[in-house]
């Protein structure tokens, strides 16, 4: 792979319009470098190119007056050194606000199982979901609980806020301690649920963000994998069963 300093020198020297931060451009810069490579002494040539890029042909305010080859540099000759190398602007990473409700009923908490397909598929979590930043967080949490599991609950306290970055997006998750009021679990989205004691979480795999929140809550689970727990659960139709690993 061609060094970043070398790519910058080549981009200005030849006015290469291919973006330096795109994988598809690697071949273009590699072929451009090979045209100048002194096969009798490639080590010194590569070192010289890297040093020119690091000390003279800098990313900003290149010192063209100190460059040993300004007459051969197309960008310098046309006054466009600041326009090279070209880059594709990265898209901003989406950031979502997520709520989770830890619902207590007779010393047990409710967890729900995500369907096996898709992002975080096959993991367990607390009922909740994405919300708008403009919403009242406590009220939005109760709304999400009603939507996802059909229960009426009350918020007792805000437990913690967790920030986590996934590959293509980031989340800020506010976690609330809630108290069961009434209703029977009716799943809308999750495919199974279970009421467990806080010290029974280990057999159930949770997403990293939930594990971070649980640790802050004093609920210590170390299971982060997509194996299904061999523990009894209740599916969305109210049938009791066991997920086999």
């Amino acid at each position: 792979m061609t060094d970043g300093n070398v790519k910058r020198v080549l981009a200005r020297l030849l006015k290469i319009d291919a973006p330096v931060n795109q994988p598809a451009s690697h071949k273009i810069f590699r072929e451009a470098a090979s045209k100048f490579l002194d096969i009798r002494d490639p080590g010194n040539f590569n070192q010289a190119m890297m040093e020119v890029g690091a000390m003279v042909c800098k990313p900003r305010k290149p010192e063209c007056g100190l460059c040993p080859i300004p007459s051969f540099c197309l960008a310098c000759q046309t006054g466009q050194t600041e326009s090279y190398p070209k880059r594709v602007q990265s898209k901003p990473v989406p950031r979502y606000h997520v709520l989770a409700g830890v619902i207590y009923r007779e010393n047990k908490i409710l967890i729900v199982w995500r369907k096996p397909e898709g992002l975080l598929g096959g993991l367990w979590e607390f009922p909740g979901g994405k919300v708008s930043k403009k919403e009242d967080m406590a009220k939005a949490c109760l709304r999400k609980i009603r939507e996802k599991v059909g229960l009426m609950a009350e918020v007792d306290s805000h437990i913690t806020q967790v920030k986590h970055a996934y590959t293509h997006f980031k989340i800020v998750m506010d976690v609330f301690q809630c108290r069961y009021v009434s209703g029977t679990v009716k799943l809308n989205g999750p495919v199974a649920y279970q009421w467990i004691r806080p010290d029974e979480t280990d057999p159930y795999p949770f997403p990293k963000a939930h594990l971070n929140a649980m640790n802050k809550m004093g609920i210590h689970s170390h299971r982060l994998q997509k194996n299904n727990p061999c523990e009894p659960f209740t599916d969305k139709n109210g049938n009791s069963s066991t997920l086999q690993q």
Side-chain angles (χ1 to χ4, degrees):
M1 183 178 293
T2 309
D3 176 79
N5 287 320
V6 175
K7 283 184 177 180
R8 185 166 57 255
V9 173
L10 291 171
R12 288 170 174 166
L13 191 65
L14 302 175
K15 289 181 63 175
I16 297 174
D17 289 321
V20 293
N21 59 340
Q22 289 289 296
S25 302
H26 294 337
K27 182 179 179 181
I28 295 173
F29 283 95
R30 188 168 58 249
E31 291 177 349
S34 66
K35 293 178 180 179
F36 295 97
L37 181 65
D38 184 347
I39 59 175
R40 295 169 300 178
D41 194 5
N44 281 332
F45 173 82
N46 288 333
Q47 184 64 34
M49 288 286 282
M50 287 189 285
E51 289 183 359
V52 168
M55 296 185 290
V56 179
C57 197
K58 301 175 183 179
R60 298 188 183 279
K61 296 182 179 180
E63 300 186 48
C64 298
L66 300 178
C67 180
I69 51 173
S71 59
F72 296 100
C73 179
L74 297 180
C76 180
Q77 293 300 312
T78 56
Q80 294 179 291
T81 51
E82 293 285 359
S83 300
Y84 289 87
K86 302 292 186 182
R87 288 182 174 275
V88 172
Q89 295 298 318
S90 300
K91 294 181 180 179
V93 178
R95 183 172 177 171
Y96 302 113
H97 204 139
V98 177
L99 300 181
V102 184
I103 309 169
Y104 280 82
R105 187 186 72 172
E106 298 178 354
N107 298 320
K108 289 189 174 183
I109 56 177
L110 179 66
I111 59 174
V112 294
W113 190 50
R114 299 175 67 98
K115 60 183 180 180
E117 304 82 17
L119 182 68
L120 305 180
L123 298 181
W124 292 80
E125 63 185 6
F126 301 115
K130 297 177 185 176
V131 295
S132 168
K133 292 181 180 179
K134 298 179 181 179
E135 294 185 79
D136 178 277
M137 293 296 103
K139 291 181 179 178
C141 182
L142 297 179
R143 176 176 62 80
K144 281 296 180 181
I145 290 173
R146 291 194 302 272
E147 291 175 356
K148 295 293 184 179
V149 295
L151 297 181
M152 299 299 294
E154 292 291 341
V155 170
D156 284 334
S157 63
H158 177 267
I159 300 174
T160 188
Q161 184 180 85
V162 174
K163 297 180 181 180
H164 188 70
Y166 292 96
T167 305
H168 301 297
F169 64 93
K170 298 179 180 180
I171 67 167
V172 176
M173 183 172 72
D174 280 289
V175 185
F176 291 86
Q177 179 171 317
C178 302
R179 175 173 23 93
Y180 168 82
V181 175
S182 64
T184 302
V185 175
K186 296 179 181 178
L187 298 175
N188 178 23
V191 294
Y193 71 93
Q194 181 68 300
W195 290 97
I196 63 172
R197 296 195 313 270
D199 61 359
E200 295 177 327
T201 58
D202 257 357
Y204 301 88
F206 286 83
K208 181 65 175 177
H210 279 69
L211 288 177
N212 291 342
M214 291 159 65
N215 285 331
K216 290 185 178 182
M217 295 158 53
I219 300 175
H220 300 294
S221 177
H222 308 288
R223 186 83 177 273
L224 178 60
Q225 48 186 297
K226 291 191 177 182
N227 294 334
N228 297 328
C230 292
E231 295 291 329
F233 72 94
T234 305
D235 65 20
K236 63 191 304 181
N237 297 317
N239 300 315
S240 296
S241 186
T242 301
L243 295 173
Q244 298 297 328
Q245 294 193 45

